[in-house]
Amino acid sequence: MARLLHHTLDPASRLARLMFAEYGVGVELEAIKPWSRDPLLLEINPAATVPILLVEDHEPPVVGALAVIHAIEERFSPTTVEGLFPATHAGRAEVWRLMEWVLSKLNDEVTRYVIEEKIVKRDQRGGTPDPSVLRVAKANLVEHMLYFNWLFATRHWIAGDVMTLADFALAAHLSCLDYLGDVTWETSVETRDWYARIKSRPAFRSLLSDRVPGMPAHRGYADLDF
Amino acid sequence: MARLLHHTLDPASRLARLMFAEYGVGVELEAIKPWSRDPLLLEINPAATVPILLVEDHEPPVVGALAVIHAIEERFSPTTVEGLFPATHAGRAEVWRLMEWVLSKLNDEVTRYVIEEKIVKRDQRGGTPDPSVLRVAKANLVEHMLYFNWLFATRHWIAGDVMTLADFALAAHLSCLDYLGDVTWETSVETRDWYARIKSRPAFRSLLSDRVPGMPAHRGYADLDF
């Protein structure tokens, strides 16, 4: 069975887990703290990031979100069920546009700061979050949610009529932020409706039972009706 | 003919141009300033980034680096010449690992700051670069070059024995930095040897004749022997 080095609240790791679960492929999870800069991790990945996928013992590790996404798609996507990429050029282009929005823009403007302040700082040196950084991240998230609401007002899924990898990418990020209580669902009705739908998929179950030691999930995190 | 909205010193746009040139496919270039936040641009891409590829009049635009890379690969990669992706799983995983290194890590730690300080600020409000930001970017670039030198000491191309998309991605970034005089080649012999090789490819020619109005290229930028 393939093995995934991940962190519970790393959004890119969650995206990989969602893909495996959706494709009905088992994967062994090994939680690590990428910021600990363990020499063994740095040898595999000098960028000290997760996810890292170990497919076969004799093969080199698959390192980073883009490599892991492509590897899962190439090697584990079933031919018998609907995949996570649309069949048209235009559909796939929209998926990649939104993948970049989430993996780069949302991450750079919101998620990475929240994770750094609330998880990494606390774990590394018992530090407390810098409120000014969290304030900026929160303000940025408001803008992103407005855009997502606008998209979901006319689309059933984020890239169009069918669920795609871009839905999983956004859900992976929002689920991390939601765990930490940083999503204001009350003012984001369209996005909440979509999140309720994706959250109730079987693929999402394992994420909802995740717990970070010493940091309980925000109320509503695991509820399908939130 | 397909049309590419780009900026001369935007590394992701340069990557798209290199792919088209390497594949021997003509593309019409339309230079824009993404930071001007032109309403027409924002309508196509609310993230206000380039590249944007217009393949056919009746098709929606292909927006962002990931979407454009995948679209070029799907629609324009020739079957008669060697492509930019290796044939093996492990080879492709290494390409994507390094793509992420360049498009995310190198960009976040170096290129985006240099472009913002030297190009965007000056164009937007006649501003001058913040020396403290450039100092950090320069220090970060030193670390990146050490890693690239280490890779090139044992590899002919960055992902292994054959030239791949990851070489073009790194060359696209370094060529922007080199235009602005920010690469210290003297201390990066291994990377310089690789850059000399990739720079002399026909696909690179159009990049070497690029000029930013009012900002001449640093000496050596267009020389194959630098």
Side-chain angles (χ1 to χ4, degrees):
Chain A
M1 192 186 282
R3 207 148 53 95
L4 188 75
L5 308 189
H6 79 119
H7 179 263
T8 311
L9 290 188
D10 172 63
S13 302
R14 288 190 157 214
L15 171 55
R17 291 166 64 195
L18 285 169
M19 290 181 80
F20 274 113
E22 183 72 18
Y23 287 159
V25 177
V27 62
E28 202 182 309
L29 296 179
E30 184 177 332
I32 64 167
K33 295 176 177 175
W35 56 86
S36 69
R37 306 188 70 80
D38 183 306
L40 280 172
L41 168 64
L42 291 179
E43 201 175 304
I44 298 178
N45 180 14
T49 56
V50 282
I52 296 170
L53 180 64
L54 307 160
V55 184
E56 302 271 4
D57 285 344
H58 62 275
E59 279 185 50
V62 178
V63 171
L66 289 181
V68 168
I69 289 168
H70 283 94
I72 298 175
E73 195 56 31
E74 280 177 16
R75 308 181 69 160
F76 298 103
S77 73
T79 48
T80 46
V81 302
E82 197 97 36
L84 291 165
F85 283 93
T88 63
H89 285 305
R92 286 193 295 278
E94 183 64 351
V95 168
W96 284 117
R97 178 181 80 83
L98 291 162
M99 288 293 290
E100 188 161 323
W101 188 293
V102 172
L103 299 187
S104 295
K105 193 172 167 66
L106 178 63
N107 191 56
D108 287 354
E109 294 171 2
V110 182
T111 328
R112 74 197 288 173
Y113 292 113
V114 175
I115 302 296
E116 171 67 27
E117 293 300 320
K118 293 196 172 179
I119 303 290
V120 182
K121 262 192 178 178
R122 175 171 160 276
D123 185 74
Q124 271 185 326
R125 37 190 193 271
T128 50
D130 179 337
S132 65
V133 174
L134 290 180
R135 209 152 38 226
V136 172
K138 204 179 177 72
N140 290 342
L141 180 58
V142 169
E143 296 297 321
H144 279 274
M145 293 301 271
L146 285 175
Y147 181 55
F148 302 140
N149 287 339
W150 180 81
L151 287 175
F152 288 124
T154 58
R155 298 170 172 195
H156 195 61
W157 299 100
I158 197 163
D161 293 337
V162 294
M163 193 191 73
T164 65
L165 192 63
D167 291 289
F168 277 179
L170 179 58
H173 276 257
L174 290 186
S175 69
C176 291
L177 296 169
D178 190 40
Y179 186 99
L180 298 166
D182 283 275
V183 185
T184 315
W185 294 112
E186 298 73 35
T187 51
S188 298
V189 179
E190 295 87 351
T191 306
R192 188 185 58 194
D193 287 353
W194 160 87
Y195 191 61
R197 249 184 297 130
I198 205 162
K199 201 176 176 179
S200 60
R201 292 183 80 83
F204 227 83
R205 249 173 240 159
S206 114
L207 269 58
L208 298 182
S209 61
D210 277 347
R211 290 300 175 265
V212 179
M215 179 166 275
H218 190 254
R219 69 179 159 70
Y221 170 73
D223 299 346
L224 297 185
D225 184 16
F226 53 103
Chain B
M1 192 188 279
R3 206 147 54 93
L4 189 75
L5 308 189
H6 79 120
H7 180 264
T8 312
L9 291 189
D10 172 65
S13 302
R14 289 190 156 214
L15 171 55
R17 291 166 64 197
L18 285 169
M19 290 182 81
F20 274 112
E22 182 72 17
Y23 287 161
V25 177
V27 62
E28 201 181 310
L29 296 179
E30 186 177 331
I32 64 167
K33 294 175 178 176
W35 56 86
S36 70
R37 305 188 69 81
D38 183 308
L40 282 172
L41 168 65
L42 291 178
E43 202 174 302
I44 298 177
N45 180 13
T49 55
V50 282
I52 296 171
L53 180 64
L54 308 160
V55 184
E56 302 270 5
D57 284 345
H58 62 274
E59 279 185 48
V62 178
V63 170
L66 289 181
V68 168
I69 289 169
H70 284 94
I72 297 174
E73 195 56 29
E74 280 178 16
R75 307 180 70 161
F76 298 103
S77 73
T79 47
T80 47
V81 301
E82 197 97 36
L84 290 165
F85 284 92
T88 62
H89 285 307
R92 285 194 295 279
E94 182 65 350
V95 167
W96 284 117
R97 178 181 80 82
L98 291 163
M99 288 294 290
E100 188 162 321
W101 188 292
V102 172
L103 298 186
S104 296
K105 193 171 167 66
L106 179 63
N107 191 56
D108 286 357
E109 294 171 1
V110 181
T111 328
R112 75 196 289 174
Y113 291 113
V114 175
I115 301 295
E116 171 69 26
E117 292 301 320
K118 293 197 172 179
I119 302 291
V120 182
K121 262 193 178 176
R122 176 170 159 278
D123 186 75
Q124 271 185 327
R125 37 190 195 271
T128 49
D130 180 337
S132 65
V133 174
L134 290 181
R135 207 152 40 225
V136 173
K138 204 179 177 72
N140 289 343
L141 180 57
V142 169
E143 297 297 321
H144 280 275
M145 293 302 273
L146 285 174
Y147 181 55
F148 302 140
N149 288 339
W150 180 80
L151 286 175
F152 288 124
T154 57
R155 297 171 172 195
H156 195 61
W157 298 100
I158 196 162
D161 293 337
V162 294
M163 195 191 71
T164 65
L165 193 63
D167 291 288
F168 277 179
L170 179 57
H173 275 257
L174 290 186
S175 69
C176 291
L177 296 168
D178 189 40
Y179 185 99
L180 298 166
D182 283 276
V183 186
T184 313
W185 294 112
E186 297 73 36
T187 50
S188 298
V189 179
E190 295 87 351
T191 306
R192 188 184 59 193
D193 286 353
W194 160 86
Y195 191 60
R197 249 184 297 130
I198 204 163
K199 202 176 175 180
S200 59
R201 292 183 81 83
F204 227 83
R205 251 174 237 157
S206 115
L207 269 58
L208 298 183
S209 60
D210 276 348
R211 290 301 173 267
V212 180
M215 180 165 274
H218 190 255
R219 69 179 159 69
Y221 170 71
D223 300 346
L224 297 185
D225 185 16
F226 54 102

